[in-house]
Amino acid sequence: MEPPNLYPVKLYVYDLSKGLARRLSPIMLVTQRERGRDTGRGRSRLHAPGARRGTRSRVSKIAPWAKGRERQRHRQREKQAPCREPDAGLDPGTPGSRPGPKAGKQLEGIWHTSIVVHKDEFYFGSGGISSCPPGGTLLGPPDSVVDVGSTEVTEELFQEYLSSLGESLFRREAYNIFENNCNTFTNEVAQFLTGRKIPSYITDLPSEILSTPFGQALRPFLDPIQIQPHGGSPIGRPNGQS
């Protein structure tokens, strides 16, 4: 009896936060320039030739008296205010800053994953299950590749398995960025092919975010978000048809 053929299984890992940072940076720069222009216009209005004369001198006479009264009120408030314990939800090293999912821990990335087997890349998004040549979406090559193992599952059997998933657990309308996403799909497929799960730092990310008050507050805004990398062909439908 001949030994069964073994097919390598890879996990492609993409860090979406890198792409988001590149897309957001021009917006941030424009905002800063706009603020700079607004500030410049504000100064020009204050020093415009038509401004009332004598205003600056009157302000300079009132300012010392006003500052003295403000300092006096501040000292009174400090005496009357009760002592407060530091807010446990804030990073003690940076006053007023908010931590990541857990105090003292920062997000390492926002992960999108796909399974590569039988010479193709398979992933799940808001458009359902799709496939493409490895690295064939607009995301380009992955940021890292994890060797999941090998499988005896043939390409024909794997395609039947994907079709059944596309009609049940991973229908396009079943997509949810927290509870049923690309990483949920790759974790399920990896176990079917090899019996192994994908790394926990990827699958645990949604629960880590939602375990914080900040994550719960953001959830209504994040739940409607749908991620579908372009460049793939939907499983079970003609190429390019949505």
Side-chain angles (χ1 to χ4, degrees), residues 8 42-43 45 47 69 72 87 90 105 112 117 125 128 150 152 166 180-181 184 197 209 217 220 234 236:
R43 284 197 298 267
R45 284 195 295 268
H47 299 286
R69 292 286 295 175
Q72 185 178 359
D87 189 344
L90 299 180
K105 181 177 180 180
H112 166 75
V117 65
S150 300
E152 299 177 6
N180 201 44
N181 53 44
T184 316
K197 296 182 178 181
I209 295 176

Side-chain angles (χ1 to χ4, degrees), residues 6 29 31 44 65-66 85-86 99 120 122-123 127 135 137 145 156 158 178 192 203 206 212 219 227 233:
L6 294 179
L29 291 174
T31 302
S44 64
W65 173 83
E85 294 293 332
D120 272 325
F122 301 89
Y123 59 92
T137 69
V145 178
E156 182 181 2
F158 182 61
F178 286 114
F192 172 78
T203 54
T212 65
R219 180 163 191 172
I227 298 175
S233 175

Side-chain angles (χ1 to χ4, degrees), residues 97-119:
S97 64
R98 293 188 178 273
K102 295 181 180 179
K105 181 177 180 180
Q106 295 182 345
L107 291 178
E108 296 180 0
I110 301 176
W111 311 115
H112 166 75
T113 59
S114 58
I115 287 286
V116 176
V117 65
H118 297 302
K119 300 180 180 180

Side-chain angles (χ1 to χ4, degrees), residues 62-82:
I62 296 174
W65 173 83
K67 290 179 180 178
R69 292 286 295 175
E70 181 60 29
R71 282 196 295 268
Q72 185 178 359
R73 292 194 190 99
H74 182 67
R75 284 194 293 267
Q76 290 175 350
R77 285 195 296 268
E78 285 184 337
K79 291 179 181 178
Q80 296 173 358

